[in-house]
Amino acid sequence: MKTFARLLAATMLVTGLASAAGAKTLVYCSEGSPENFNPQINTTGTSFDAARPVFNQLVEFEPGTTKIRPALAESWVVSPDGLEVTFNLRKGVKFHSSKTFKPTRDFNADDVLFSFNRMWKEDNPYHKVSGGAYDYFNDMEMPTLLKSIDKIDDHTVKFTLTKPNAPFLANLGMDFATIFSAEYADVMLKAGKPETIDQQPIGTGPFTFVAYQKDAVIRFKAFPDFWGPKAKIDDLVYAITKDPTARWAKLQKNECQVMIGPNPADLPAMGKDENVNLLSQPGLNIAYLSFNVTKPPFDKKEVRQALTMAIDQATIIKDVYGGAGQAAKNFIPPTIWGYNDAIEPYKYDPAKAKEMLKAAGVAEGFESDLWWMPVTRPYNPNAKRIAELMQADFEKVGIKTHLVSYEWGEYRKRLQAGEHQMGQLGWSGDNGDPDNFFFLLGCEGARPGGQNLSKWCNKDFEALFQKAKSTFDVAERTKLYEQMQVIAHEEAPVFNMAHSIVYEPIRKNVTNYKVSPLGRREFAEVGLD
């Protein structure tokens, strides 16, 4: 009898039926477990989505857009030379509380300084907590971009930069720039449990964290003292469901009301289901195959070009993406400004690929690993199937590949460390700026642990990249980005695979849910009829 009761309780936890009578519970079928609940030390959309209900940044993106609006900063002033940004902080903002922490004050400038100094200052007591890898912060070049962050008073903070940076404000709307409670950090440090703030999050967001069971469920509850419009639902539940077919089955049975990453084969049925709205939007994304240029023969651009021509891209688009994707030729999608449409894509040509491999000194072929992601992502519905198709293509030109995968968090960690020879990944833009894609090919991210998985560092590309960030003239930036794409096309550090159309099926009783061009799942303004 006790066993049955425990099973029933677990089922109610996932489906949201454990809510109080009359309470509105929205269940989101997510695709995987988060690494933790600190966006500063994560790089996956899975982990960002899991932490987002709890937190805020100084600025935020209006749901469904790339437009910046005030959040914890109610206004800001940029100096004429672009070197100073002064934020006027919102007053009366409350932090969440938990069984182990009860805040004694409202949000103020100390929390901003703590949040950024943890990532920036090596002498900060939290800098090395939970591994201390701040990949976004570093890859955005924040350590060298920031000159100082000063508390003017409790509700005014000034950022001083070493050089003008056009994407700076948009970057502060990204998840890595989340604001934490300095008071909570102090309490946990004194208790000898500093890692607690990364596992049991306390923020200022519309929902408070309730509980997490790995590979099963995350539970949140609406925060009654939220500084913004109150949430329209009482409880928010993430039902972690790795298989897209299982997610769809749950949506059909109303066990969840929103799901990520549908199987392309299920899209026709979703479109016909009278209880489902199939939302869609061209994705601000890229799926790609990284060639690790630090490992021969991938250090030769001729080999990388040959591998690109050996891949039957059209078959991947047809068999894996169905009607939900288009072939990519550039690293940025055509939906973003700065796209160079004059680039001619590489043609599928196995015979020419073999000739180029021979000319590059690998006529007899070689062996390589080929990594595939263990999860569905908006930009890649089935990485294993893609790897299998590529494996067959490479075999035709004399290259024998071994398929490799790991648990999602471990997969990302090992890719960023540069353990792979060839590895699949992808990207959904964080802020609507081309810079947010190109940093993945920049020299800063090419370090071990950085997000430039190919570890490719080209001085000409990098010079244009830095120049583009230093000017606020969009026309000038566009010209520079177009030149960068020419270099990347010639050097081929990655195989640009696909840009997906993002489909998100939701139950028809879900209101005000918007597909984000930035690949974010956001529930602050979502309701249920």
Side-chain angles (χ1 to χ4, degrees), residues 265-515:
D266 293 328
L267 293 175
M270 292 175 176
K272 295 176 183 177
D273 193 309
E274 62 182 12
N275 296 310
V276 172
N277 282 328
L278 183 58
L279 308 180
S280 67
Q281 185 175 89
L284 199 69
N285 60 37
I286 176 71
Y288 63 89
L289 177 71
S290 163
F291 303 124
N292 189 338
V293 304
T294 68
K295 297 186 175 183
F298 301 99
D299 56 334
K300 298 180 179 181
K301 76 173 182 180
E302 293 81 8
V303 171
R304 302 192 298 267
Q305 290 173 344
L307 293 176
T308 295
M309 288 187 284
I311 298 171
D312 187 352
Q313 187 180 30
T315 294
I316 291 174
I317 298 299
K318 179 182 178 182
D319 289 3
V320 180
Y321 286 85
Q326 66 179 96
K329 63 179 181 179
N330 292 322
F331 198 68
I332 63 174
T335 50
I336 198 170
W337 60 272
Y339 184 81
N340 189 344
D341 198 33
I343 296 287
E344 287 293 329
Y346 287 99
K347 304 294 184 184
Y348 173 54
D349 193 336
K352 187 174 181 181
K354 291 182 73 172
E355 291 176 7
M356 292 185 68
L357 289 171
K358 181 179 180 180
V362 287
E364 302 304 316
F366 58 92
E367 293 190 18
S368 173
D369 58 36
L370 175 56
W371 292 32
W372 57 273
M373 300 178 306
V375 296
T376 299
R377 298 301 299 141
Y379 49 75
N380 189 328
N382 192 336
K384 184 178 183 181
R385 178 58 183 151
I386 290 173
E388 292 168 345
L389 291 171
M390 288 182 174
Q391 185 178 47
D393 289 338
F394 290 144
E395 186 76 26
K396 294 173 185 176
V397 297
I399 301 170
K400 183 177 180 180
T401 55
H402 311 281
L403 302 190
V404 176
S405 193
Y406 296 92
E407 179 273 330
W408 184 214
E410 187 70 12
Y411 182 87
R412 286 296 302 257
K413 181 180 178 181
R414 289 174 178 263
L415 274 182
Q416 289 180 211
E419 294 184 16
H420 64 294
Q421 291 170 286
M422 294 189 287
Q424 287 187 68
L425 205 65
W427 190 255
S428 294
D430 290 298
N431 61 19
D433 195 295
D435 171 87
N436 186 245
F437 283 83
F438 290 126
F439 87 95
L440 295 168
L441 299 178
C443 290
E444 179 62 35
R447 73 188 189 286
Q451 295 186 79
N452 179 343
L453 305 182
S454 296
K455 309 307 174 187
W456 174 74
C457 176
N458 179 281
K459 61 179 176 52
D460 295 327
F461 182 94
E462 184 70 15
L464 294 169
F465 181 46
Q466 295 298 332
K467 187 175 181 181
K469 287 196 288 190
S470 66
T471 177
F472 292 83
D473 186 327
V474 173
E476 177 62 20
R477 293 182 74 198
T478 296
K479 292 177 182 178
L480 296 168
Y481 289 140
E482 288 175 346
Q483 294 174 50
M484 289 163 58
Q485 287 164 82
V486 172
I487 295 172
H489 178 76
E490 172 66 20
E491 290 287 319
V494 302
F495 165 61
N496 298 310
M497 186 160 46
H499 308 294
S500 75
I501 299 171
V502 176
Y503 287 93
E504 294 194 33
I506 65 173
R507 299 284 299 187
K508 285 194 173 178
N509 63 326
V510 176
T511 61
N512 207 37
Y513 182 85
K514 297 176 182 178
V515 179

Side-chain angles (χ1 to χ4, degrees), residues 28-206:
Y28 162 57
C29 275
S30 64
E31 80 284 16
S33 295
E35 299 156 273
N36 50 61
F37 291 89
N38 181 349
Q40 296 176 326
I41 55 178
N42 294 325
T43 57
T44 68
T46 305
S47 295
F48 290 153
D49 284 343
R52 194 169 294 122
V54 175
F55 291 113
N56 295 116
Q57 294 78 41
L58 292 174
V59 299
E60 65 184 16
F61 297 99
E62 187 175 311
T65 76
T66 59
K67 181 181 178 182
I68 285 287
R69 69 182 184 186
L72 292 181
E74 59 184 3
S75 65
W76 55 87
V77 176
V78 180
S79 65
D81 60 6
L83 294 177
E84 295 180 356
V85 185
T86 303
F87 292 95
N88 301 307
L89 306 182
R90 198 177 296 274
K91 298 178 181 179
V93 174
K94 308 295 182 184
F95 278 104
H96 307 159
S97 62
S98 69
K99 292 179 180 179
T100 57
F101 173 69
K102 307 295 180 185
T104 63
R105 64 166 177 80
D106 292 347
F107 158 74
N108 66 28
D110 293 334
D111 304 305
V112 178
L113 266 62
F114 164 73
S115 300
F116 283 91
N117 284 339
R118 172 180 176 173
M119 297 184 282
W120 187 24
K121 303 292 187 181
E122 292 187 6
D123 60 353
N124 185 283
Y126 269 86
H127 186 72
K128 295 182 179 180
V129 171
S130 300
Y134 306 102
D135 293 326
Y136 255 101
F137 185 79
N138 291 324
D139 291 347
M140 295 288 104
E141 301 179 11
M142 287 289 181
T144 55
L145 177 63
L146 293 174
K147 183 177 181 181
S148 65
I149 306 175
D150 299 303
K151 174 183 175 180
I152 307 305
D153 57 43
D154 276 352
H155 296 98
T156 311
V157 175
K158 182 174 71 174
F159 286 70
T160 302
L161 310 183
T162 58
K163 57 186 175 182
N165 185 272
F168 181 71
L169 267 177
N171 288 344
L172 292 192
M174 292 162 55
D175 292 282
F176 84 90
T178 283
I179 303 301
F180 288 77
S181 165
E183 184 184 18
Y184 181 39
D186 287 343
V187 169
M188 291 300 104
L189 187 65
K190 291 175 183 176
K193 300 177 181 179
E195 69 283 349
T196 301
I197 75 169
D198 300 331
Q199 303 295 342
Q200 299 173 26
I202 294 288
T204 57

